[in-house]
Amino acid sequence: MTDALRLPPDLPPNLPDDQLPRVLGEALTGLYTGEPRLPARAGGRTAGLAALHAWTGEGYAGRNFLSGNVSRLSMYLRHGMLGLREVAAHARAVMRGRERDEFLRQLTWAEFYRLVLRQEGARVLGNLEDPKYPARWTDTLPDDVRGASTGLPCADAWVTHLIRDGWLHNHERLWFAAYLVHWRGVDWRAGYALFREHLLDGDIANNALSWQWVASTFSNKPYFMNQENIDRYSGGRWCRTCRAACPFRASYGELETQLFGTQP
Amino acid sequence: MTASQVRRVVWVHGDSLSVTDPALSACPDAPALFVFDRPFLQAVPVAFPRLAFMYQGVRDLAAHRPGPTELRVGAVPDELAAFAAAHHAAELHVTRNFTPDFARIVDGLRAARPDLRIIVHEPERLTSFNGPLRRFFGFWKKVEREVLHGEPAPDFPQRGHR
Ligand SMILES: Cc1cc2nc3c(=O)[nH]c(=O)nc-3n(C[C@H](O)[C@H](O)[C@H](O)COP(=O)(O)OP(=O)(O)OC[C@H]3O[C@@H](n4cnc5c(N)ncnc54)[C@H](O)[C@@H]3O)c2cc1C
């Protein structure tokens, strides 16, 4: 066997975490953005299994609240560190009733998007359908959005969380996507690229197709929210002390007319 | 030649970072390789923590499988071809993913090493649905029973769709 092993490995497969940013950072020089630092959650099947077994799913009915008990397993599922089947089996074993059904339904979105990617291939990176409103989108991500300096405490927090944690709650993803595409008039692909850069769970299927769902190029209508919705599901986190001119403070009907030009 | 005599290597990619990966499970003792894709990362911005997360995934499976596991930085088809050659491998095993990159890399490898047999294992699925898809709601109606109860509905078509 010894003669077969001619190529020395580029990187040892057993770097401890305290050496990882330095050694991996050097090996990958020029191949990443930002500072070399450890992810907010540790990677690997062992860590993924520990997270899965620690998760009881209690309170998942409140999943739409930022304070809701969601699993945060997406980064393990994305990299195959956990399988959809074992996560489903765990949910069937430890969860009950409507909460269990709701969790399994959410998990099925991940399977759905994977299968849409299998069906559509690289087409998922372009509009799968025409947008359902007269949209004129610009291609580039505005600097104030990337720099978390829009002056809107909520929107700036979404970007800050994304970059700091590599993970965002589903509702923050939805709000940010709607803000970028509908309020700022930016093509969803610029948001997709920002998410791909920073999300630990970022992938082609869930990421591109969720953006398209918000943009209405893979759904029957655009997704959008108003201030009341943000206030309620964030538990007043930003709105209570906010002094900004809020672009979201209106009824759904008014916003619909303003954003999409349609009568409520 | 019997299967046990054939020299095999495994390609581990970013969607299969677990010892339970079908290709790795099929070849527990074979040398496995993970490649940080240099041309891709040069073209596409990715923040460091994500790459560290993937490294931790490779480290974890290296610690849990009997065969050796290696990491390289480079162009994936080239690195796989060199790895297979260094191990005198006649077969390369990998688990399919649905990204356009996967097909491109397998094609590149086939062109570079026509003599290497590439065995593609199918990834794990949550459902057995194989029909065309359009909206989640329609999909959910077809797979609901299977997902909620863990078994296909008795009348569930195994091939195709209604
Ligand atoms: C604009 C946008 C971009 C997104 N990009 C990604 C992405 O790149 N990768 C990714 O995995 N998810 C993506 N999502 C979907 C969803 O936000 C995350 O999967 C979820 O927030 C992960 O948190 P969790 O693991 O706690 O989810 P839980 O609520 O605990 O759900 C468990 C699992 O079910 C799946 N799931 C739940 N909700 C969804 C959903 N709406 N769509 C698809 N799968 C779901 C995920 O695999 C998740 O880990 C995106 C959503 C939006 C709106």
Side-chain angles (χ1 to χ4, degrees):
Chain A
M1 260 318 261
T2 45
D3 68 314
L5 297 167
R6 253 176 261 126
L7 292 178
D10 278 354
L11 265 167
N14 56 359
L15 288 171
D17 275 351
D18 60 350
Q19 291 175 28
L20 208 165
R22 187 180 54 78
V23 180
L24 188 64
E26 274 168 27
L28 299 177
T29 302
L31 301 181
Y32 58 85
T33 65
E35 290 303 304
R37 59 184 168 94
L38 291 174
R41 284 198 114 176
R45 177 164 175 80
T46 304
L49 278 178
L52 177 65
H53 292 146
W55 194 69
T56 63
E58 201 170 320
Y60 191 75
R63 64 177 277 274
N64 284 329
F65 291 89
L66 298 193
S67 59
N69 186 22
V70 291
S71 71
R72 296 184 181 231
L73 293 173
S74 49
M75 58 284 263
Y76 299 109
L77 287 164
R78 187 264 172 256
H79 286 293
M81 295 165 186
L82 292 176
L84 289 170
R85 274 178 181 271
E86 65 192 338
V87 172
H90 177 81
R92 284 187 211 106
V94 306
M95 293 176 77
R96 295 279 169 272
R98 267 189 42 240
E99 291 199 334
R100 175 172 80 172
D101 291 0
E102 180 56 17
F103 178 79
L104 289 166
R105 206 173 70 92
Q106 290 306 317
L107 197 63
T108 304
W109 274 96
E111 164 100 340
F112 175 68
Y113 283 150
R114 276 185 201 179
L115 293 179
V116 174
L117 176 63
R118 179 175 79 168
Q119 174 176 294
E120 302 293 334
R123 279 191 298 272
V124 305
L125 296 171
N127 289 348
L128 283 173
E129 301 162 17
D130 287 333
K132 307 305 181 293
Y133 68 100
R136 274 185 304 276
W137 294 324
T138 58
D139 291 340
T140 41
L141 190 69
D143 285 342
D144 66 325
V145 173
R146 178 186 290 282
S149 60
T150 64
L152 299 176
C154 54
D156 293 345
W158 302 329
V159 174
T160 307
H161 293 169
L162 169 70
I163 293 174
R164 186 191 61 201
D165 304 333
W167 184 86
L168 278 183
H169 187 281
N170 183 56
H171 228 142
E172 290 185 290
R173 298 184 201 212
L174 285 167
W175 292 331
F176 177 73
Y179 169 62
L180 189 71
V181 176
H182 307 317
W183 272 270
R184 300 297 299 265
V186 178
D187 192 298
W188 62 265
R189 273 163 288 205
Y192 163 82
L194 182 73
F195 273 22
R196 179 187 55 204
E197 180 175 352
H198 295 288
L199 283 176
L200 296 176
D201 64 31
D203 64 357
I204 295 182
N206 288 290
N207 192 10
L209 292 165
S210 296
W211 278 94
Q212 299 220 47
W213 187 83
V214 170
S216 78
T217 54
F218 188 53
S219 62
N220 298 335
K221 54 180 189 324
Y223 166 86
F224 66 105
M225 71 293 180
N226 68 4
Q227 186 256 337
E228 240 178 83
N229 178 282
I230 297 173
D231 187 44
R232 169 154 197 252
Y233 288 102
S234 69
R237 193 178 292 186
W238 303 293
C239 303
R240 253 163 232 173
T241 51
C242 183
R243 298 283 166 271
C246 178
F248 315 120
R249 193 181 297 139
S251 70
Y252 274 99
E254 285 161 345
L255 288 173
E256 198 163 18
T257 310
Q258 177 201 319
L259 297 173
F260 312 120
T262 51
Q263 293 303 316
Chain B
M1 202 172 355
T2 64
S4 62
Q5 291 170 302
V6 175
R7 292 228 189 176
R8 314 193 282 189
V9 291
V10 183
W11 169 27
V12 186
H13 51 65
D15 294 66
S16 61
L17 296 176
S18 163
V19 278
T20 58
D21 169 63
L24 284 175
S25 306
C27 324
D29 300 311
L33 179 68
F34 176 86
V35 184
F36 282 107
D37 190 338
R38 183 186 296 279
F40 176 82
L41 292 173
Q42 271 164 345
V44 171
V46 176
F48 186 84
R50 169 67 167 275
L51 304 178
F53 190 82
M54 293 168 77
Y55 177 90
Q56 290 170 326
V58 180
R59 182 179 69 191
D60 191 66
L61 71 88
H64 286 94
R65 63 189 297 270
T69 305
E70 295 186 20
L71 282 125
R72 296 192 202 292
V73 185
V76 182
D78 299 352
E79 295 297 334
L80 291 175
F83 187 72
H87 290 284
H88 305 294
E91 280 181 5
L92 178 135
H93 288 246
V94 62
T95 302
R96 187 190 307 284
N97 66 49
F98 302 131
T99 66
D101 281 338
F102 180 82
R104 184 181 50 74
I105 289 167
V106 169
D107 288 348
L109 187 57
R110 284 217 168 94
R113 285 287 312 272
D115 55 314
L116 184 67
R117 269 190 76 203
I118 301 177
I119 317 269
V120 180
H121 297 256
E122 292 307 316
E124 182 194 277
R125 289 272 315 269
L126 181 60
T127 71
S128 50
F129 182 79
N130 270 321
L133 299 109
R134 193 171 129 75
R135 292 287 188 255
F136 179 77
F137 186 73
F139 174 66
W140 175 243
K141 285 290 138 209
K142 294 220 167 70
V143 301
E144 183 173 10
R145 261 194 81 126
E146 185 180 7
V147 172
L148 295 182
H149 305 291
E151 282 153 26
D155 61 341
F156 198 93
Q158 289 301 309
R159 283 176 297 130
H161 68 103
R162 270 177 276 230

